[in-house]
Amino acid sequence: MSAFGSQDMSAPLQRVLMRRPGASLMNADPAQWHYGPTFDGTRAVHQYREFARLIEQSGTEIIWLDDEGDGLADAMFTHDPSLMSDHGAIILRMGKPLRAGEPALHEKAYAERQIPILGRIEAPGTVEGGDCVWLDARTLIVGRGVRTNQQGIDQLGALLAPHGIAVLGFDLPLWQGEDACLHLMSVISPLADDLALVFAPLLPAAFYQLLKARGIRLVEAPADEFHASNGLSLNVLPTRPSEVIMVEGFPATRAAMEAAGCTVSTFAADALCIACEGGPTCLTRPVLRRAA
């Protein structure tokens, strides 16, 4: 059985599931997939290679999914179709209909590596991984919004409760509408156990209060860069506590994290992350996060 387990957002990233973009992204219709004006398939593939190089440099083992032209352009955003726990993977059910085929790719990859499946979210429930944040190993926070519904949150709770894990749902704002994507992780990126980058104006108020009550230090994402990037300035991936990867071009956000003690690596991603509405966290599904 392969090593797996992740109930932490910033512990050392030891194994990760990723998908190289290929024909499906290169041939994607930007209007159908809600990609922005800076989308360029060839440049996106090149920028992805640089991101993957940063992951490899961190010492993380990558489990690769290949894009063999299945038409699933968003499948490079591997964070969303499954969730990993210390008790096995949970196969999620996507709120975006165009992404409905993606969870099966994850289930196949886990089966091939003898990683157990704890359960599956079934219709009419929907949960996307970008709406799920481990507050600690016994508390999973889930954003209830366009992509994740209450039925999905209830099913997630039923799967995790036998393992002593509480699932707490919080309402997300609609913000830019149903077609745009506001996940919970659009407004919070944990950087270490006691540190998170947030855009407070869009955080659920009760979740904000919970973070403060837990003593988690909040780095406020600069509003101008948040809005200029449609929130992607805040989508930051820790490869270990306080060591993070972010999209380049947002110096004030980078400086705010560095002032809080973080080491920050960046990569060009205008054709990839900015255009396709998903950042470094979205491009990864942690399979094993744990101190060595």
Side-chain angles (χ1 to χ4, degrees):
M1 184 179 294
S2 299
F4 68 92
S6 179
Q7 292 179 195
D8 188 305
M9 303 300 291
S10 62
L13 184 60
Q14 295 194 30
R15 301 185 87 197
V16 68
L17 185 69
M18 293 172 59
R19 168 158 142 149
R20 290 186 189 91
S24 299
L25 185 67
M26 302 276 281
N27 299 326
D29 174 358
Q32 180 186 27
W33 288 93
H34 204 265
Y35 292 167
T38 58
F39 176 66
D40 178 319
T42 301
R43 289 182 59 237
V45 168
H46 177 75
Q47 291 177 347
Y48 185 93
R49 284 197 200 106
E50 177 60 19
F51 171 67
R53 190 182 65 79
L54 291 174
I55 296 292
E56 288 168 340
Q57 279 184 345
S58 75
T60 302
E61 175 198 352
I62 300 175
I63 299 170
W64 282 112
L65 299 176
D66 285 312
D67 175 357
E68 296 170 349
D70 53 21
L72 296 171
D74 268 0
M76 62 184 175
F77 296 126
T78 53
H79 199 82
D80 294 318
S82 66
L83 179 69
M84 189 58 66
S85 76
D86 291 348
H87 311 282
I90 299 173
I91 306 302
L92 303 178
R93 183 168 176 270
M94 309 299 282
K96 182 176 181 177
L98 279 171
R99 301 189 67 183
E102 295 179 33
L105 304 178
H106 287 223
E107 185 156 10
K108 181 173 181 284
Y110 295 140
E112 288 170 351
R113 290 160 183 84
Q114 293 82 50
I115 294 172
I117 304 299
L118 180 61
R120 297 165 187 79
I121 303 301
E122 308 284 359
T126 59
V127 177
E128 293 192 358
D131 282 325
C132 300
V133 172
W134 292 100
L135 184 62
D136 57 46
R138 303 182 73 80
T139 313
L140 181 67
I141 307 297
V142 186
R144 182 173 42 244
V146 172
R147 301 292 183 85
T148 296
N149 63 22
Q150 186 60 47
Q151 294 99 319
I153 294 171
D154 290 344
Q155 291 178 41
L156 207 49
L159 289 169
L160 292 171
H163 301 283
I165 297 165
V167 174
L168 307 179
F170 291 91
D171 285 321
L172 292 171
L174 187 61
W175 198 35
Q176 293 180 326
E178 287 186 89
D179 291 333
C181 183
L182 185 80
H183 281 132
L184 180 61
M185 293 199 72
S186 303
V187 293
I188 178 168
S189 279
L191 307 174
D193 279 350
D194 61 347
L195 186 67
L197 178 67
V198 301
F199 187 65
L202 292 179
L203 267 181
F207 181 39
Y208 176 84
Q209 291 171 321
L210 177 58
L211 293 168
K212 299 285 278 189
R214 287 290 188 99
I216 294 172
R217 292 180 295 141
L218 302 180
V219 178
E220 295 274 357
D224 56 345
E225 292 185 350
F226 183 86
H227 289 295
S229 66
N230 279 330
L232 271 301
S233 62
L234 185 139
N235 193 282
V236 175
L237 174 71
T239 53
R240 56 182 22 85
S242 298
E243 290 188 20
V244 304
I245 300 172
M246 73 176 296
V247 171
E248 79 173 21
F250 305 104
T253 305
R254 176 177 184 161
M257 289 190 289
E258 289 175 338
C262 292
T263 302
V264 182
S265 300
T266 64
F267 68 107
D270 57 322
L272 176 67
C273 296
I274 303 298
C276 302
E277 299 186 337
T281 297
C282 308
L283 290 167
T284 56
R285 165 38 58 202
V287 172
L288 179 64
R289 268 197 189 275
R290 186 165 299 157

